[in-house]
Amino acid sequence: MSAFEYLVVPFVGQLKSGVFSVENAQNVTAQLQAVISQYGQQGWEFYRIDKINVQIKPGCLAALFGASASYITFDQIIFRHLTNP
């Protein structure tokens, strides 16, 4: 039976400007491709991308004034390789 080892890497693409365009989409795609290629050269197989939700709790002072938790979402790139071929 084959077993996999997994590696999870955060991915946050960066735009040159705040306006979404084909050029910016291609730029982020190239950034993602670079990360996948980098880990592929190290023997990791690209497996999938998942979205992760992170809860950010307000600090003490903000909580005193009624602030509630907020959430951010970002992508995680998941790689794998066989540990027992």
Side-chain angles (χ1 to χ4, degrees):
M1 181 172 144
S2 297
F4 288 99
E5 180 179 359
Y6 293 88
L7 174 69
V8 180
V9 178
F11 177 75
V12 178
Q14 297 182 10
L15 299 176
K16 291 180 181 177
S17 68
V19 178
F20 187 77
S21 66
V22 172
E23 179 185 352
N24 280 336
Q26 290 171 340
N27 188 354
V28 172
T29 300
Q31 292 169 37
L32 178 58
Q33 179 64 52
V35 173
I36 293 171
S37 295
Q38 173 189 352
Y39 285 93
Q41 291 172 358
Q42 297 174 21
W44 291 97
E45 171 191 11
F46 170 75
Y47 182 58
R48 67 189 206 201
I49 295 178
D50 281 333
K51 293 194 175 299
I52 303 297
N53 292 315
V54 177
Q55 180 185 41
I56 303 171
K57 294 182 180 181
C60 293
L61 188 57
L64 285 173
F65 288 104
S68 59
S70 61
Y71 296 86
I72 60 169
T73 301
F74 63 96
D75 294 321
Q76 297 284 327
I77 307 170
I78 303 171
F79 298 93
R80 69 181 186 178
H81 70 79
L82 285 173
T83 57
N84 259 344

